[in-house]
């Protein structure tokens, strides 16, 4: 009897350590999946490079670039980062009524890119709130959700148009398959327009959907719908205009870098870019979509007559100037953000954290 009591006491003491053990297990799993996705991305990119090298000397081709187009592309990079800044500042200071300084805005933008690089689907960008005072963390996180939402809805809208145009020209579907394809793409285009311009419809849909989901997911959807309620028609139009400008600006950068190596049809390349961007966004298989973006671009661009080698060369330049270099800048700001977040997690009550997530 005494042994049983002692055994139960040991089990009880073991249970008291369960939270720390569970945290360690979750951390270990996160690192495992992080490393796995990184390895998969590197392998995928290596396969793509090896495939392209069989057709053309990829590295020697970099030296044959037309520097005028490279210069135009780099100017486009500066312009599109300025538009990023404009949308983020508008979301913070106009929609969420914050008083973010230019320094905070730039630090959170670059830091968000760093976090997005090491997370599938760039979801780490939603943690920009760690670069602000802890009392503003959840409001900034809400602004991050809106900012990311409009980027993805714009990609859905333009990408669906791109896939529809290319599909009708390239796939040559017949009969019921053609009607099914056109109907599906048209539905996605309409959904993109409705949700972009009337986000409160999306908010109402999420509230209705949350009734039939587990509590943990339901609370997150309810919080998300509250964020969407802040967006009126006028605000939505402004966000749409800037988001479309950013999306088209990224294409113009890529097109300039592509033209540095080969001629390419403008509008067909535009639709191929939008279709490949949407496809890679929907399949966040690797960290920073490494290898996924490049693979889909080669697939879609080849459908409009653009060779694989210049497509990969332009994609690698885009990845360097739009992701790697800004992420390198953002990594310098991460220690401050981690200290902010560490303080926040100790000071915010657990019930509030669970409710806001």
């Amino acid at each position: 009897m005494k042994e049983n009591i002692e055994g139960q006491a040991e089990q009880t003491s073991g249970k008291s350590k369960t939270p720390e053990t569970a945290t360690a297990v979750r951390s270990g799993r996160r690192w495992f999946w992080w490393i796995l996705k990184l390895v998969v991305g590197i392998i995928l990119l290596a396969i793509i490079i090896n495939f392209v090298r069989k057709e053309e000397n990829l590295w020697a081709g970099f030296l044959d670039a037309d520097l005028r187009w490279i210069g135009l592309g780099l100017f486009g990079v500066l312009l599109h980062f300025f538009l990023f800044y404009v949308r983020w500042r508008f979301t913070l200071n106009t929609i969420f009524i914050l008083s973010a300084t230019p320094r905070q805005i730039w630090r959170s933008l670059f830091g968000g890119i760093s976090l997005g690089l090491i997370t599938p689907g760039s979801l780490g960008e939603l943690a920009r709130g760690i670069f602000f005072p802890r009392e503003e963390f959840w409001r900034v996180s809400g602004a991050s959700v809106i900012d990311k939402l409009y980027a993805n809805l714009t990609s859905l809208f333009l990408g669906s148009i791109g896939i529809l145009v290319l599909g009708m020209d390239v796939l040559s579907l017949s009969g019921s398959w053609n009607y099914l394809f056109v109907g599906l793409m048209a539905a996605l285009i309409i959904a993109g327009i409705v949700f972009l311009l009337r986000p409160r419809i999306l908010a109402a849909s999420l509230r209705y959907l949350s009734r039939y989901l587990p509590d943990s997911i339901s609370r997150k959807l309810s919080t998300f719908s509250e964020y969407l309620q802040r967006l009126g028609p006028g605000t939505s139009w402004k966000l749409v205009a800037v988001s479309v400008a950013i999306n088209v600006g990224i294409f113009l950068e890529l097109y300039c870098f592509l033209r540095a190596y080969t001629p390419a049809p403008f509008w067909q390349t535009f639709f191929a870019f939008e279709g490949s961007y949407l496809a890679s966004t929907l399949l966040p298989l690797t960290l920073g979509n490494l290898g996924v973006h490049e693979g889909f671009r080669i697939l879609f661009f080849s459908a409009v007559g653009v060779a694989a080698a210049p497509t990969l060369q332009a994609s690698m330049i885009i990845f360097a100037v739009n992701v790697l270099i800004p992420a390198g800048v953002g990594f310098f700001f991460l220690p401050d953000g981690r200290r902010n977040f560490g303080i926040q997690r100790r000071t915010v009550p657990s019930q509030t954290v669970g409710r806001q997530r």
Side-chain angles (χ1 to χ4, degrees):
M1 184 68 178
K2 182 178 179 180
E3 293 176 356
N4 290 338
I5 293 175
E6 291 177 352
Q8 291 176 0
E10 290 176 359
Q11 291 178 1
T12 303
S13 64
K15 289 180 181 179
S16 64
K17 299 179 182 178
T18 299
E20 290 78 6
T21 304
T23 301
V25 170
R26 286 195 297 269
S27 178
R29 288 175 179 173
R30 283 196 295 267
W31 275 105
F32 171 77
W33 287 112
W34 189 91
I35 295 173
L36 178 62
K37 290 177 181 294
L38 176 62
V39 171
V40 170
I42 293 174
I43 293 175
L44 182 59
L45 185 60
I47 292 173
I48 293 172
I49 292 175
N50 186 61
F51 168 77
V52 174
R53 285 179 59 190
K54 293 179 180 179
E55 300 181 359
E56 185 177 336
N57 190 333
L58 184 64
W59 309 117
F62 272 111
L63 302 178
D64 297 330
D66 187 335
L67 297 182
R68 293 172 299 177
W69 286 104
I70 296 293
L72 284 174
L74 293 176
F75 175 76
V77 172
L78 298 177
L79 180 61
H80 116 249
F81 269 103
F82 172 73
L83 291 174
F84 265 128
Y85 170 85
V86 169
R87 185 177 66 185
W88 184 224
R89 183 186 62 184
F90 177 76
T91 306
L92 285 171
N93 294 348
T94 303
I95 301 176
F96 283 79
I97 320 297
L98 291 164
S99 300
T101 63
R103 183 171 180 269
Q104 289 176 317
I105 295 172
W106 282 116
R107 284 165 64 95
S108 59
L109 268 179
F110 286 119
I113 294 173
S114 301
L115 295 171
L117 177 64
I118 59 177
T119 54
S122 300
L123 291 177
E125 292 185 24
L126 300 181
R128 295 174 187 169
I130 67 174
F131 299 97
F132 287 79
R134 59 180 181 270
E135 61 271 12
E136 297 178 350
F137 177 82
W138 294 114
R139 293 170 68 192
V140 176
S141 297
S144 301
V145 170
I146 296 299
D147 189 78
K148 188 72 173 177
L149 172 70
Y150 268 79
N152 287 336
L153 284 178
T154 303
S155 174
L156 172 67
F157 169 61
L158 295 176
S160 298
I161 294 176
I163 292 175
L164 176 61
V165 173
L166 287 182
M168 295 179 66
D169 185 41
V170 175
L171 296 179
S172 300
L173 298 174
S174 59
S176 58
W177 286 108
N178 185 54
Y179 293 126
L180 179 62
F181 172 75
V182 173
L184 177 61
M185 291 298 105
L188 290 176
I189 293 170
I190 294 172
I193 294 174
V194 170
F195 292 150
L196 278 169
L197 300 181
R198 292 293 184 270
R200 292 181 181 179
I201 296 178
L202 177 60
S205 302
L206 292 176
R207 284 197 304 271
Y208 177 80
L209 180 63
S210 65
R211 301 175 185 174
Y212 305 97
L213 297 173
D215 290 341
S216 58
I217 300 177
S218 177
R219 286 195 297 268
K220 294 176 182 177
L221 288 181
S222 297
T223 302
F224 186 34
S225 65
E226 291 175 7
Y227 295 149
L228 292 175
Q229 291 293 335
R230 296 173 178 263
L231 304 179
T235 303
S236 301
W237 273 106
K238 293 175 183 177
L239 282 174
V240 169
V242 179
S243 298
V244 170
I246 291 173
N247 188 287
V248 174
I250 295 174
F251 160 71
L252 292 176
E253 294 170 31
L254 180 67
Y255 185 75
C256 288
F257 294 138
L258 187 64
R259 284 298 307 271
Y261 297 102
T262 184
F266 182 84
W267 286 110
Q268 288 178 304
T269 306
F270 171 74
F271 292 126
F273 166 81
E274 295 297 346
S276 65
Y277 194 84
L278 174 60
S280 59
T281 301
L282 294 176
L283 292 173
L285 302 177
T286 62
L287 293 180
N289 275 358
L290 180 64
V292 179
H293 277 310
E294 292 76 13
F296 275 113
R297 280 180 189 148
I298 290 174
L299 176 65
F300 277 76
F301 281 30
S302 64
V304 297
V306 180
T311 300
L312 182 59
Q313 289 163 340
S315 295
M316 293 175 71
I317 296 175
I318 279 285
F319 183 72
V321 297
N322 281 357
V323 179
L324 281 185
I325 295 176
V329 174
F331 276 122
F332 285 102
F333 304 139
L334 287 184
D336 292 338
R338 290 182 63 184
R339 283 193 293 269
N340 262 0
F341 188 63
I343 295 172
Q344 171 128 353
R345 293 185 63 183
R346 289 192 296 270
T347 56
V348 174
S350 59
Q351 292 181 351
T352 304
V353 173
R355 185 166 57 251
Q356 293 291 337
R357 288 182 182 177

